Amino acid sequence: MRISSALLPLAGAVLVEAAGASDSCTALKGKVNSAIFYPNSSVYKYEAQNFWSNTEIMSPGCVFRPESSAQLGEGLKALVNANSQFAVRGGGHMGIRGSNNIDNGVLIVMSNLTTLELSEDQSIVSIGPSHRWENVYSYLEDYGLAAAGGRLGPVGVPGLLLAGGVNFYGNQVGWGCNTVVNYEVVLADGSVVEANKTHYSDLFWALKGGSSNFGLVTRFDLETIKSPKVWAGSYTVSAEYVDQFLAAAATYASNISDPKSHIVPALVPGDELLASAILFYDSEDTSYPEIFKPFTDIPAIASTLDFKTLSEFAAETGAMVVPHINDVFVAGTVVGTIYDELLQGISIINTTFFEHLPKLYNQIPAANISTIQLDWQPIGADWMKASEEKGGNALGLDSSKIYLCYAEVVEWIGSSYDDIVAQWVEETTYAINNATQKAGLYDPFNYMGDAAGFQSIFPGYGAENVAKLQAIAKKYDPNQVFQTLMPGGFKVY
């Protein structure tokens, strides 16, 4: 499947090089001319703005939009030979400046790598890195199928899967990356390989949570899930029930007894504090399952719970995503094994976060704050055992523990407030970590998909996995191309 010409701007002035274009762009000339676009072209103007967040907007010297994995390999080899810097954008949804864009260097965009097709028996869907999950779910809907992908439709396919892949079906199939059975990968030397459990098996393992440290993935082949409809929606309660709501979250996390279920509880401050949970149940005929009673027994002020397709639900949750705004996500984790520990962890995070909020409100006008949110994601034994049964991954989590990952979210209007928000989230995160460490509940795991640029990721995977990832990176990228020439992303070195 190739993107229609109606959906992408025309090539216009492909080879008219703009004044001041970088040496990195010059390195590509003569190698992949038809796929290079300079600032005076419509393609550049489109692709340089095709990001979710204002945080990601930068000024690359040119855009390289390969038509195939082979052409990407040819261009990458030219960049390496010239010692030229580059960035890579898939779905463009990681809101960290410089993670998937670059000033002056080459911005490689995956927009034309648009594979989207089912295997003959419909058990595997092959997906190119251009896609966002809303495209994938819409395609699979016609077959009564789903996939372990993003919970918000606009999220990009490659970023989610390479980070591990929190998904609605995690208690059944594990991390999204563990449903991948094969990766097509362009290595640092420009060669294209297929990594799976029998070929390049070490690379196959490393890509499950190791991000972009080993190569550029140009196709993901992952297992489909039979799921024609689900019962799902958001369930919102008023501030007076917050304590009961947080207790419900701890009750669920301490005993995830129904693998068809998934929750995302969140607190959303504003003119009035709201507690809202995304509730998801993989069934086309069961509503209000017993496992959700601690939530649904609380009187709701709003609810969208109903039967719908995954595609419809991802569109519903995707409507929460505000494009072209300034934002930051910050990740963290507490661990426990029983209800009391998990409730204590939730309470510490919640109390510390809200104690620090007045400082933010005092520095930014209310009209310039778009969204503030604090949400949690429980990861329990079923989730991790399902992942282990599929070959494991690089994340290094222990199935004897219950992990309660959380995310702090701030979205605001006006770049003049960037530094204020950055300082606030660092101070708040430091305070939360200190408090959870003091309580003996802290865990160093930071989920990459929700992490901020100032956070460390790989130390949370454990020393053994970090050493293994470093060895695999050195094996497939001995000259550290993806550590040095590609400055964006979280590095294993």
Side-chain angles (χ1 to χ4, degrees):
M1 176 180 171
R2 182 127 345 244
I3 290 180
S4 164
S5 59
L7 299 181
L8 288 174
L10 297 175
V14 174
L15 292 177
V16 180
E17 184 173 352
S22 71
D23 291 339
S24 296
C25 298
T26 303
L28 290 173
K29 291 180 67 177
K31 301 292 184 183
V32 289
N33 284 349
S34 64
I36 311 169
F37 305 91
Y38 293 102
N40 59 344
S41 72
S42 59
V43 169
Y44 178 100
K45 292 171 184 175
Y46 170 81
E47 296 289 11
Q49 297 293 318
N50 192 19
F51 293 86
W52 161 56
S53 168
N54 287 345
T55 310
E56 301 165 287
I57 303 298
M58 300 176 73
S59 299
C62 63
V63 167
F64 171 34
R65 194 168 73 181
E67 297 280 339
S68 66
S69 54
Q71 189 179 58
L72 173 59
E74 189 177 0
L76 181 59
K77 188 174 180 180
L79 290 171
V80 172
N81 288 342
N83 200 37
S84 297
Q85 288 202 329
F86 61 92
V88 180
R89 191 205 71 215
H93 201 269
M94 178 168 273
I96 300 174
R97 185 171 179 80
S99 62
N100 50 13
N101 204 350
I102 194 168
D103 283 326
N104 301 318
V106 176
L107 171 60
I108 301 173
V109 299
M110 301 296 202
S111 304
N112 275 339
L113 302 182
T114 58
T115 299
L116 187 56
E117 57 192 23
L118 279 167
S119 62
E120 188 172 347
D121 65 0
Q122 299 184 3
S123 66
I124 303 295
V125 60
S126 296
I127 310 172
S130 68
H131 290 292
R132 295 182 172 95
W133 287 104
E134 57 196 0
N135 311 126
V136 178
Y137 298 152
S138 178
Y139 172 74
L140 293 175
E141 181 178 21
D142 291 341
Y143 303 91
L145 298 172
R151 297 170 301 178
L152 305 172
V155 169
V157 167
L160 180 115
L161 290 176
L162 293 171
V166 173
N167 67 92
F168 287 128
Y169 301 89
N171 291 316
Q172 298 180 68
V173 302
W175 294 92
C177 66
N178 284 107
T179 68
V180 179
V181 298
N182 183 75
Y183 302 88
E184 181 184 74
V185 191
V186 177
L187 300 179
D189 63 3
S191 62
V192 182
V193 303
E194 304 278 341
N196 49 57
K197 66 180 181 181
T198 56
H199 295 87
Y200 298 91
S201 58
D202 53 353
L203 178 60
F204 180 61
W205 176 86
L207 290 168
K208 297 178 184 296
S211 193
S212 56
N213 287 280
F214 316 94
L216 305 180
V217 178
T218 50
R219 195 188 72 245
F220 300 83
D221 301 333
L222 62 156
E223 298 167 339
T224 58
I225 300 167
K226 186 172 177 55
S227 184
K229 281 202 171 182
V230 300
W231 185 79
S234 59
Y235 192 82
T236 304
V237 305
S238 61
E240 63 184 300
Y241 295 108
V242 163
D243 288 346
Q244 189 176 344
F245 180 88
L246 296 181
T251 298
Y252 177 89
S254 64
N255 183 25
I256 308 174
S257 57
D258 191 332
K260 292 183 179 182
S261 66
H262 182 88
I263 69 167
V264 189
L267 294 185
V268 186
D271 294 337
E272 180 184 353
L273 174 65
L274 297 176
S276 186
I278 291 174
L279 303 178
F280 175 95
Y281 197 70
D282 181 23
S283 174
E284 56 185 322
D285 54 23
T286 299
S287 61
Y288 293 93
E290 185 72 20
I291 196 165
F292 290 157
K293 276 185 66 63
F295 290 100
T296 56
D297 281 349
I298 305 172
I301 59 173
S303 173
T304 66
L305 292 169
D306 203 351
F307 292 103
K308 56 199 74 171
T309 65
L310 176 62
S311 179
E312 291 169 338
F313 189 42
E316 178 185 323
T317 59
M320 305 174 193
V321 177
V322 179
H324 304 302
I325 201 166
N326 304 76
D327 68 273
V328 64
F329 281 61
V330 187
T333 303
V334 292
V335 292
T337 56
I338 60 174
Y339 167 84
D340 288 345
E341 293 172 338
L342 295 166
L343 181 59
Q344 184 185 9
I346 290 173
S347 299
I348 290 171
I349 295 162
N350 178 60
T351 299
T352 309
F353 184 81
F354 279 87
E355 283 176 349
H356 281 70
L357 262 186
K359 183 175 181 180
L360 185 65
Y361 287 138
N362 288 338
Q363 298 179 85
I364 302 178
N368 288 79
I369 296 177
S370 175
T371 300
I372 295 177
Q373 185 169 309
L374 179 63
D375 59 48
W376 290 271
Q377 180 57 64
I379 307 289
D382 284 353
W383 187 303
M384 286 180 279
K385 287 176 182 175
S387 297
E388 290 164 4
E389 288 171 1
K390 294 177 181 293
N393 54 56
L395 302 175
L397 302 188
D398 180 353
S399 60
S400 70
K401 301 176 183 177
I402 298 168
Y403 292 79
L404 201 54
C405 302
Y406 65 90
E408 308 161 54
V409 183
V410 182
E411 296 181 348
W412 67 98
I413 300 164
S415 58
S416 60
Y417 300 109
D418 290 2
D419 291 343
I420 291 171
V421 175
Q423 182 177 350
W424 184 84
V425 293
E426 286 201 48
E427 289 177 355
T428 303
T429 304
Y430 181 75
I432 291 172
N433 289 345
N434 278 345
T436 57
Q437 282 178 329
K438 186 175 180 180
L441 301 172
Y442 170 82
D443 191 271
F445 179 74
N446 291 321
Y447 175 57
M448 189 186 301
D450 289 334
F454 68 85
Q455 296 191 280
S456 297
I457 299 299
F458 294 108
Y461 289 15
E464 182 178 343
N465 278 10
V466 171
K468 188 174 177 182
L469 286 169
Q470 290 172 340
I472 295 168
K474 289 175 182 176
K475 176 180 176 181
Y476 292 102
D477 182 17
N479 296 318
Q480 300 186 14
V481 168
F482 299 111
Q483 310 301 316
T484 56
L485 295 185
M486 187 179 75
F490 295 101
K491 307 302 182 185
V492 297
Y493 283 101

